[in-house]
Amino acid sequence: MDTPAAGATTPTPPTSGDAALGSPRDAVSLTRGVPASDGAGVRLLRVLGTQVLPLVDPFLMLDEFRSDDAKDYIAGFPDHPHRGFETVTIMLAGRMQHRDSVGNTGDLGPGSVQWMTAGRGIIHSEMPKQQDGLMWGFQLWVNLPAKDKMTAPRYQDIEADAIPTVTRAGDVEVRVIAGTVDGVRGPIDAAATEPVLLDVRLPASSRFDHRLPTGHNGFVYAYEGDVVVAGTSSDRVVPRGHIAVLGPGDGLRLRADGAAAKALVVCGRPIGEPVARYGPFVMNTNAELEQAFRDYRSGKLGR
Ligand code: CO
């Protein structure tokens, strides 16, 4: 950075990160996750996909599971179907095993990500591969447009070391799961919604500026510490366990003020179609939902 001119009384000019930032988005809502139970009785925090916050198009659901008490997770998610969207599992700690009806098996270890396109249908299970210790991670549901809802199922299993980390000044670390940061591209290929999915780790008194696609919807979920969404017209503190939906704009500025913080940044191109959802199926119409149930009951789904 240049030395400020002698005698300057105005604040120093923006740092290099600002040049690319544009107008940082404000946090337009702040919602606390709701304790819930899913699968065969896994306790989790439902952050998105609740009555209060049902949808941030194209994102349908975000759950955080975090417990070091095995009875909160040991029952896992036995065989169940999906149709019409994509599920993303992001592991921070612990180990799960995936099996599905199209023959994929996957070992999801700490730091790994699994991106599953259910498309026309898949039956899968996600079961803990540990009897004790910390299990911590997220599951995100990403909708598909009508033209892709009945596509062939696809499974992308990404090991922890295949997810690049960008380190910024001040030891800010960004794991790039999807999208591009400083020219570094994440491994996920999801053409329908062109998602940006970042795991941002902010030391105390640090900042992360990043350009986001202008037409994308997005949110920030604070999963450790308090993250500040420093927007164009407001600064908003997002405490741990809360989700902040981002307003319009073309950039994002996150800060950790007093203490270190970690957040997921999730952003995607909205689909803008009707959403008919029930349990594990997400379609456009109720008739398509009923067809999904019929196909599942008659054994046609996932075969
Ligand atoms: Co599932």
Side-chain angles (χ1 to χ4, degrees):
M1 194 151 151
D2 294 340
T3 308
T9 54
T10 48
T12 50
T15 57
S16 57
D18 290 332
L21 184 58
S23 53
R25 294 175 180 226
D26 289 311
V28 294
S29 72
L30 186 63
T31 310
R32 184 183 203 144
V34 179
S37 173
D38 210 336
V42 177
R43 287 166 53 88
L44 45 83
L45 196 64
R46 182 143 295 162
V47 176
L48 172 64
T50 60
Q51 284 191 342
V52 177
L53 189 62
L55 175 77
V56 178
D57 185 12
F59 303 104
L60 300 154
M61 195 190 84
L62 178 68
D63 286 343
E64 179 183 11
F65 46 92
R66 180 195 196 185
S67 178
D68 55 10
D69 182 347
K71 72 177 186 318
D72 290 340
Y73 59 75
I74 203 73
F77 301 88
D79 274 348
H80 59 277
H82 292 293
R83 173 179 280 180
F85 64 105
E86 302 181 280
T87 69
V88 185
T89 306
I90 301 163
M91 297 297 292
L92 295 178
R95 208 165 272 283
M96 302 272 273
Q97 183 163 57
H98 163 98
R99 283 178 194 281
D100 67 41
S101 56
V102 292
N104 300 303
T105 58
D107 188 6
L108 286 76
S112 71
V113 172
Q114 180 212 73
W115 197 293
M116 188 182 81
T117 306
R120 65 176 172 253
I122 199 164
I123 297 170
H124 76 152
S125 64
E126 296 146 301
M127 298 301 289
K129 275 195 79 180
Q130 62 191 42
Q131 302 300 314
D132 51 34
L134 178 64
M135 181 76 81
W136 189 7
F138 310 94
Q139 187 163 87
L140 174 72
W141 286 12
V142 187
N143 206 0
L144 286 169
K147 70 177 177 55
D148 294 332
K149 281 191 176 294
M150 295 300 276
T151 192
R154 183 174 176 216
Y155 178 80
Q156 301 175 72
D157 205 351
I158 299 124
E159 298 288 329
D161 60 9
I163 297 171
T165 299
V166 171
T167 304
R168 289 267 186 94
D171 292 327
V172 171
E173 287 189 347
V174 185
R175 300 184 72 227
V176 187
I177 300 166
T180 302
V181 176
D182 300 347
V184 175
R185 190 168 173 75
I188 293 296
D189 166 28
T193 49
E194 294 178 335
V196 176
L197 181 40
L198 311 175
D199 176 359
V200 181
R201 296 158 179 217
L202 297 158
S205 306
S206 70
R207 189 175 93 183
F208 171 63
D209 289 351
H210 184 56
R211 194 102 181 175
L212 291 176
T214 305
H216 277 32
N217 288 338
F219 62 82
V220 172
Y221 176 63
Y223 72 87
E224 202 165 276
D226 295 349
V227 177
V228 178
V229 175
T232 299
S233 57
S234 69
D235 284 4
R236 201 144 183 189
V237 178
V238 186
R240 172 178 151 68
H242 289 65
I243 179 173
V245 176
L246 299 173
D250 51 15
L252 176 69
R253 171 167 291 169
L254 295 183
R255 284 199 328 253
D257 289 348
K262 296 179 182 174
L264 291 182
V265 173
V266 180
C267 183
R269 190 170 58 205
I271 293 170
E273 295 174 0
V275 175
R277 63 193 287 181
Y278 192 87
F281 305 129
V282 184
M283 306 302 291
N284 294 110
T285 66
N286 284 332
E288 290 166 349
L289 272 187
E290 286 161 17
Q291 186 64 49
F293 276 98
R294 274 198 299 275
D295 289 351
Y296 178 50
R297 280 194 220 102
S298 66
K300 271 195 265 176
L301 187 147
R303 303 291 169 225

